[in-house]
Structures are given as C-alpha cells and as structure tokens.
Amino acid sequence: MKKILIVEDDINLLNLYKEVLTKEGYQVDLAEDGGEALQRAEIFQPDVVLLDLMLPYIDGFQVLSQLKSNPKTEHCFVIVQTNLDSEMQRQKAKNLGANEFLVKSESDPGSLIDDIKNLISTH
C-alpha cells in the first residue's frame, strides 16, 4: 500500500484529502505545520508528500528543501499544492525538487488522485 503524507494547515482541506485518498486505498498521515511535516515524514516514510507552501513555523519551501536533503526522505515524490500561482514560486519549488506544482483553485480531488497515480506509476 502506497503511503501519502498530507501537509496542510487548512483543516477542512486536510480532512477532505484524507477522506478521498483513504477511499482510494492509500495509507495516509497528516501534518498541519512544517515542523510536524518533517517529523512525520521521517517516521512515516511516505511515497508521496502533498505539500502546502504557506505553513506555520516552517514554510513549504523549507520543508521541501529539508525533505530532499535528508537521506531518509529524499526518495519521496513531492506534489506542491498552493494558492501562490507565480512562475517564480513554481520555478523555486521545481529547483528544490518538487515533482508537481498544483494551484489549489485549479485542482480538484479527482485530478489530484490522477496526478498521484501518474507520478507513482511513471517512476
């Protein structure tokens, strides 16, 4: 069973993604801030991290950088999901190792599941 860590400070989105991904057969863990995300990732060893950029304590860019520089978590696929839709943000996320960059307002749970499946199956 593939494991997904959802890192999101909006509790409604966190619960929505958890419900949808659990129904799809994924094992899901949750984190509501950047510090918790780094701790959970090291323990849970997810295949995919769904990462918001605007997080309390440690922002998503720092989380992404630390995930990719830690031998225990560098293998994780990272899908950045944010409301920050700028080319600069997108490029920064890609340069730090994000596999996908999605804008929340342009994404829905169905397309997110497709993105996760495509990412896992093509790598």
Side-chain angles (χ1 to χ4, degrees):
M1 177 182 295
K2 296 291 184 183
K3 299 190 288 187
I4 300 177
L5 174 62
I6 305 168
V7 185
E8 173 63 61
D9 63 337
D10 179 328
I11 195 73
N12 293 324
L13 278 178
L14 192 69
N15 289 329
L16 171 67
Y17 294 146
K18 179 184 179 187
E19 182 179 329
V20 169
L21 293 170
T22 301
K23 283 182 181 174
E24 283 292 315
Y26 296 104
Q27 185 179 348
V28 176
D29 199 4
L30 310 172
E32 294 182 46
D33 65 62
E36 184 182 12
L38 293 169
Q39 291 173 345
R40 297 300 314 143
E42 199 160 315
I43 295 165
F44 185 59
Q45 295 289 296
D47 299 291
V48 177
V49 177
L50 182 59
L51 179 64
D52 187 11
L53 289 180
M54 309 247 320
L55 295 168
Y57 311 116
I58 302 174
D59 73 32
F61 288 120
Q62 290 175 303
V63 171
L64 177 57
S65 176
Q66 290 183 44
L67 285 173
K68 291 301 183 177
S69 64
N70 181 339
K72 292 183 178 179
T73 57
E74 67 185 0
H75 70 280
C76 299
F77 295 118
V78 179
I79 299 175
V80 168
Q81 233 192 342
T82 185
N83 287 319
L84 303 173
D85 185 18
S86 79
E87 189 54 38
M88 188 177 85
Q89 304 285 5
R90 186 179 300 271
Q91 198 56 49
K92 183 175 180 180
K94 291 284 188 184
N95 289 343
L96 289 172
N99 299 90
E100 295 284 336
F101 186 99
L102 305 175
V103 178
K104 288 179 185 178
S105 62
E106 299 170 3
S107 182
D108 61 70
S111 64
L112 177 61
I113 289 168
D114 290 342
D115 287 337
I116 291 169
K117 287 179 181 175
N118 288 337
L119 192 59
I120 290 171
S121 70
T122 58
H123 290 87

